[in-house]
Amino acid sequence: MDTKKVLFLAYNQHQFKLFRYLCINLEQETTFLVTSVAACLKGILHKNGQPPLPPTILDELVKYSYLSFSARRQQGKADLLSRLYYKYLIFKAKTLHNYFYHYLKNKAIDLLVVWNGSYLEAASGVKAARKLGIKVIFMENGFFPQTLVLDEKGVNAANSLVGNTAEFYRKVRIDPVKLARLKGTKLVPRELRKNITIKEEIQLPQKYFFLPFQVHTDTQVLLNSPNIRNMYELVDTVYTAVEAYNCKSQADYWLVIKEHPSDFGRIDYRDLKEKYQGRKVVFITTEPSSTLIERSQAVITINSTVGIEALLKGKPVITLGKAFYNVEGVVYHCANLSQLGQVITRALTEEINHGLVDQLLYYLRYDYLVEVDKKNLNPNNIMPVLQRIRGILGNDLVEK
């Protein structure tokens, strides 16, 4: 039997460390580890002939990288710098795609492994692999501590779980002991991006919706949120709906908002806080999300993993964007923002299907995700990842 060949593509240090360890331990396979910097340089120096990619494909490859750049600059309209950066991204995408196409073909690679897949460094490799009929694994941090996603289709709203209905999860058989262990999972809170100590003395309202912010440059916001482009729009949309609900129902619900720790120091929401000063809105920076979830009446999110944590704690969850866990009977998905008030009413009045929620969470943790402690890699705890990779290598189905 021919030895299978696996190419790992890394574009930052944490990926390189993990991929290098996997290469060392995949002893039955021939492995290659390439960085995007090396690939780009070699692609510039050693050009190989290949038909040019259509503009629509190039736009697709650079989309997230360009949107992320624009979001970081908080630039509404394209200026000279944006146009120059876009041209640079197009050049880089052409170079990388050309290099990866020939590398994958000449080395007769059987499997490409990338992290996330949205940045053009990975997207270019994935596009080349798809063209050649080569399998791809998309890796990402899992939704629970010490877990990884290894998916052949993608991550988040592009993963292989999208489209699974309630009927799929109702077939999941649960081991009560493992479910109890899952229910006892303590999710590790994110630390502030900058090492700054903040003292907050905030009294939480008696009744409120918890609205967690997401990283403003994250793929979940820029690619998987068709109706809400940023956190400003998120607050305006949800606040308007909550106030309308309060007026209609003569209720007194507040909005408790937590800034994302990874955005602290990167984006200043002072103007947003000033806009909502004196209204039924509380902004929080340091209080653990777990506490805010537990004391809330419901959680409203675009598509954050905080929604999964809320499900774990038995809370109603309303999603406003694309999410793999948008399953009828599990969450209340609001695709039409004009109907958010009606969705809020349902979330507050309908009985939660705890059994179905448990089945989805159980499937995620014990069937879909792979267990591994990335911070303390060793030959034993890396074994489930190696087994998943080998299982995919042995599967003859390839998505072209």
Side-chain angles (χ1 to χ4, degrees):
M1 183 181 291
D2 292 336
T3 302
K4 297 288 187 178
K5 296 179 181 179
V6 183
L7 171 62
F8 291 86
L9 166 57
Y11 53 89
N12 68 28
Q13 190 59 37
H14 91 82
Q15 297 165 20
F16 185 85
K17 180 182 175 183
L18 173 62
F19 290 170
R20 181 175 59 185
Y21 198 82
L22 289 170
C23 285
I24 293 169
N25 286 274
L26 279 168
E27 298 173 346
Q28 300 171 22
E29 293 77 18
T30 301
T31 58
F32 305 87
L33 176 55
V34 173
T35 66
S36 59
V37 173
C40 196
L41 289 174
K42 290 179 181 178
I44 293 171
L45 294 173
H46 305 288
K47 291 186 177 180
N48 296 295
Q50 191 191 353
L53 289 171
T56 53
I57 299 297
L58 288 169
D59 281 339
E60 176 191 322
L61 294 180
V62 306
K63 181 178 180 180
Y64 173 65
S65 295
Y66 180 73
L67 288 175
S68 179
F69 172 78
S70 301
R72 285 196 302 273
R73 296 184 69 221
Q74 295 181 273
Q75 190 79 19
K77 294 182 180 179
D79 56 6
L80 178 61
L81 181 59
S82 297
R83 289 192 289 271
L84 289 173
Y85 188 71
Y86 180 78
K87 288 184 178 180
Y88 158 73
L89 292 177
I90 293 293
F91 169 77
K92 190 174 181 181
K94 289 178 180 178
T95 302
L96 286 171
H97 179 270
N98 188 51
Y99 175 80
F100 286 131
Y101 181 88
H102 289 280
Y103 189 100
L104 291 163
K105 187 176 181 180
N106 294 338
K107 297 281 188 183
I109 299 296
D110 298 291
L111 175 68
L112 172 68
V113 182
V114 299
W115 190 268
N116 185 282
S118 297
Y119 280 100
L120 79 86
E121 290 84 354
S124 301
V126 170
K127 180 60 69 175
R130 296 295 196 212
K131 190 182 290 187
L132 292 164
I134 294 169
K135 298 175 186 177
V136 180
I137 290 179
F138 298 85
M139 281 195 186
E140 181 84 301
N141 288 321
F143 321 116
F144 302 108
Q146 298 183 9
T147 61
L148 270 182
V149 172
L150 279 82
D151 196 301
E152 292 184 78
K153 287 192 69 177
V155 298
N156 298 320
N159 72 21
S160 59
L161 300 177
V162 174
N164 286 349
T165 65
E167 289 305 312
F168 174 87
Y169 293 106
R170 285 195 184 100
K171 296 174 184 176
V172 175
R173 296 192 175 185
I174 289 179
D175 178 335
V177 175
K178 291 171 75 173
L179 179 62
R181 192 188 313 149
L182 173 60
K183 292 281 190 171
T185 301
K186 294 188 183 298
L187 302 188
V188 181
R190 288 274 188 99
E191 295 182 357
L192 290 177
R193 183 172 173 269
K194 291 193 173 182
N195 190 21
I196 297 174
T197 303
I198 297 176
K199 278 193 173 182
E200 287 185 310
E201 294 182 3
I202 296 174
Q203 187 172 356
L204 291 173
Q206 188 174 0
K207 295 166 70 176
Y208 66 86
F209 296 97
F210 177 40
L211 183 68
F213 273 7
Q214 295 176 226
V215 176
H216 74 292
T217 57
D218 192 72
T219 57
Q220 289 283 66
V221 177
L222 298 180
L223 298 181
N224 299 327
S225 178
N227 298 322
I228 295 174
R229 295 174 296 177
N230 53 55
M231 299 305 104
Y232 290 86
E233 291 185 8
L234 176 65
V235 176
D236 290 345
T237 298
V238 176
Y239 176 80
T240 300
V242 171
E243 278 298 279
Y245 175 82
N246 281 338
C247 288
K248 184 177 180 180
S249 306
Q250 296 184 332
D252 188 31
Y253 284 94
W254 285 57
L255 206 53
V256 171
I257 299 168
K258 183 181 177 182
E259 296 179 61
H260 198 285
S262 297
D263 259 351
F264 187 78
R266 290 205 307 174
I267 185 165
D268 188 356
Y269 288 112
R270 194 178 312 164
D271 53 347
L272 187 61
K273 294 174 183 178
E274 289 175 357
K275 177 180 178 179
Y276 283 94
Q277 194 170 10
R279 305 191 196 185
K280 293 179 180 178
V281 178
V282 177
F283 285 90
I284 289 178
T285 304
T286 59
E287 190 72 26
S289 293
S290 57
T291 302
L292 299 174
I293 292 170
E294 287 169 359
R295 296 182 183 179
S296 72
Q297 273 59 55
V299 172
I300 303 176
T301 178
I302 296 175
N303 46 24
S304 168
T305 53
V306 174
I308 295 175
E309 185 176 358
L311 291 174
L312 196 60
K313 294 181 181 295
K315 294 291 181 177
V317 175
I318 298 171
T319 60
L320 306 178
K322 297 177 183 178
F324 70 87
Y325 59 92
N326 281 346
V327 177
E328 185 67 32
V330 174
V331 302
Y332 299 91
H333 177 54
C334 181
N336 184 346
L337 298 182
S338 66
Q339 298 176 358
L340 182 53
Q342 300 169 35
V343 176
I344 286 173
T345 301
R346 288 183 58 207
L348 292 176
T349 57
E350 292 182 3
E351 191 81 21
I352 296 175
N353 189 338
H354 292 289
L356 181 59
V357 171
D358 287 348
Q359 286 172 303
L360 181 143
L361 295 173
Y362 188 94
Y363 182 84
L364 282 184
R365 176 61 184 82
Y366 297 114
D367 292 284
Y368 179 70
L369 297 174
V370 180
E371 188 170 334
V372 64
D373 182 359
K374 282 198 310 170
K375 293 182 179 179
N376 301 288
L377 295 173
N378 63 62
N380 290 325
N381 71 17
I382 203 71
M383 194 56 65
V385 181
L386 303 182
Q387 290 172 347
R388 181 65 64 88
I389 291 173
R390 285 171 177 149
I392 292 171
L393 266 172
N395 178 5
D396 292 332
L397 295 175
V398 180
E399 181 183 330
K400 296 185 179 180

